[in-house]
Amino acid sequence: MSDASFDFDVIVIGAGYGGFDAAKHAADHGLKVAVLESRDMGGTCVNRGCVPSKALLAASGRVRELADAEHLAGFGIHAAPVRFERKKIADHANQLVATIRANLTKTLERAGVTILRGQGRLEGPQRVGVRELSGVDRVLTARDVILATGSDPFVPPGIETDGRSVFTSDEAVNLEWLPRWIAIIGSGYIGLEFADVYTALGCEVTMIEALDRVMPTFDPDIAKIAARKLIDGRDIDARSGVLAKSIQPGSPVQIELVDMKTKEPVETLEVDAVLVATGRVPSSKHLNLESVGVETNRGFIPVDDSMRVLVNGAPQAHLWAVGDVTGKLMLAHTAAAQGSVAVDNILGHPRRIDYRSIPAATFTHPEISSVGLSEADAKELAGEEGFELGTVRSYFKANSKALAELESDGLMKLLFNKTSGEVLGAHIYGLHAADLIQEIANAVSRRQSVTQLANEVHTHPTLSEVVEVAYKQAASAVGA
């Protein structure tokens, strides 16, 4: 039932995936909803992140496949030299963004959501200030307020960007030009995906990682096998343990590298362009959080697992936050899930989010995916709860479908409780790893045991049998 004593039942600040799902879910359940957006509808994912980057990866992946003469020869196929048009690849991404942005906007309008274009901020409990694009400033009231302002690329101190020769992923998705030699700062999923795009399209890449190993956020065993193809097998010079102390835009771009530990100079690189892929920071500065007493942690808004904003560790009534601004798993589908959880709690249906069961994927060729605990965290949990950790590996080279595709370079690592059999997590590198991880994510969500899962029948021949083999190996070790 809508509450007429407020302008709206729910005001959502931010129309990315988290804000979109929250607004639609609330409107679908009869609430009067407004969503505020100061930039493009759809937020980072639709406009500057997952949507355009996956379009680029799809196109560049085709180029890579057609240009791999050795791989094609294995099928008895001989292709002509590959030609591509950079602008048309970029246009494909831009058109996809426009289509999805328009569909998202229409979906909210059909659901009855009021869309307000402008900068939103808090003006005390249940009050939202709006600085509209026209310059008009007003204050609205809402029974509940959801903060979903997302994040922006992080640019470390000493790095100067100009959007052309030194840029972040926000600009990279436009693919305005193809530098002959590009340095990528960071080897997380953003750096890896763009390295995949640039090398497929003929660019030379230098990857610079400040931590002591390349791909530091990935499972070490997965990173080791994946790096053979994704980095070592391509025109990529990867360096770890070095810090880009300063970067100056220009022609060429100058990068001052120092040793991460000693801070002693290593060398000065001169390249055509630099992509800064060093993570993301929350977009929370403009929210006037002090008006409700919220203290952030490095800009991230503290929340509980019901998505209630915390003030001094206690939930703040009628104030919620979802998505990247919370600093949890900074993924579009996490934001969407958080948005639904927040609204369910607003509707009086208590619900908490389960981060362990949310999968993540890197859309390189081949892909990398994971869900649940890392091996280090699983070992720590085993020590705390007094059980033995089980680990099994299932290889793509034993899978008929992977062999038929001549894509047998791959590994799945499954982590489980050897006493109860409960699936704790999985890490996959290989063909369609991003799709395969969902089956394990479902098992983690249900806290299922490998002894039960081992009896499930998988289609033959499919890549899903990689998962089946792992489950059966794990089941035989339970209680042993």
Side-chain angles (χ1 to χ4, degrees), residues 426-468:
H427 305 265
I428 308 176
Y429 161 71
L431 190 64
H432 297 305
D435 297 303
L436 291 175
I437 200 67
Q438 189 61 52
E439 180 177 352
I440 303 97
N442 294 343
V444 172
S445 175
R446 297 164 186 147
R447 302 299 192 259
Q448 287 181 292
S449 168
V450 292
T451 55
Q452 175 188 1
L453 295 164
N455 294 323
E456 295 182 347
V457 179
H458 292 68
T459 310
H460 176 77
T462 64
L463 295 170
S464 71
E465 291 173 291
V466 170
V467 179
E468 180 182 11

Side-chain angles (χ1 to χ4, degrees), residues 77-153:
I77 299 171
H78 303 280
V82 182
R83 294 174 56 252
F84 65 86
E85 298 177 51
R86 175 206 58 79
K87 187 176 185 307
K88 287 192 175 180
I89 291 176
D91 287 346
H92 165 58
N94 291 331
Q95 287 162 7
L96 180 63
V97 167
T99 298
I100 292 181
R101 185 168 59 217
N103 290 344
L104 181 149
T105 304
K106 289 175 184 175
T107 297
L108 289 181
E109 290 171 342
R110 283 196 298 266
V113 175
T114 300
I115 298 174
L116 302 174
R117 306 309 303 272
Q119 190 82 52
R121 67 186 184 278
L122 297 174
E123 286 291 349
Q126 299 176 296
R127 291 167 60 82
V128 174
V130 186
R131 170 76 67 172
E132 296 181 6
L133 299 181
S134 64
V136 173
D137 200 293
R138 54 184 172 138
V139 175
L140 301 170
T141 61
R143 190 182 64 203
D144 288 275
V145 177
I146 300 175
L147 308 176
T149 46
S151 63
D152 291 292

Side-chain angles (χ1 to χ4, degrees), residues 149-218:
T149 46
S151 63
D152 291 292
F154 171 62
V155 179
I159 297 179
E160 182 183 341
T161 62
D162 64 355
R164 174 67 180 174
S165 62
V166 182
F167 48 84
T168 67
S169 56
D170 279 4
E171 294 83 27
V173 292
N174 296 321
L175 202 69
E176 290 183 354
W177 66 301
L178 291 173
R180 290 177 60 190
W181 183 9
I182 182 169
I184 297 178
I185 313 300
S187 61
Y189 76 95
I190 296 174
L192 283 177
E193 288 184 352
F194 276 103
D196 198 287
V197 170
Y198 282 121
T199 53
L201 301 181
C203 305
E204 181 181 348
V205 172
T206 294
M207 185 170 280
I208 298 167
E209 173 57 58
L211 298 180
D212 58 4
R213 70 177 176 92
V214 175
M215 301 173 61
T217 57
F218 297 87

Side-chain angles (χ1 to χ4, degrees), residues 388 390 392 414 416-423 448-452 454 470-480:
E388 185 180 355
V392 296
L414 182 70
F416 62 100
N417 181 326
K418 286 188 74 173
T419 302
S420 67
E422 180 185 340
V423 177
Q448 287 181 292
S449 168
V450 292
T451 55
Q452 175 188 1
Y471 283 159
K472 287 181 174 175
Q473 288 177 342
S476 66
V478 172

Side-chain angles (χ1 to χ4, degrees), residues 214-284:
V214 175
M215 301 173 61
T217 57
F218 297 87
D219 176 271
D221 292 329
I222 296 296
K224 184 177 179 180
I225 186 173
R228 295 175 194 164
K229 188 163 189 176
L230 300 181
I231 296 176
D232 302 340
R234 294 175 183 172
D235 199 3
I236 299 176
D237 173 22
R239 309 181 185 194
S240 59
V242 290
L243 175 71
K245 182 180 179 182
S246 70
I247 298 178
Q248 295 298 320
S251 182
V253 181
Q254 293 196 332
I255 310 173
E256 182 186 356
L257 297 178
V258 299
D259 183 273
M260 184 61 186
K261 293 180 180 177
T262 67
K263 300 301 186 287
E264 292 294 318
V266 174
E267 68 174 302
T268 298
L269 284 181
E270 292 187 344
V271 298
D272 297 307
V274 173
L275 166 61
V276 183
T278 48
R280 301 184 65 85
V281 291
S283 304
S284 61

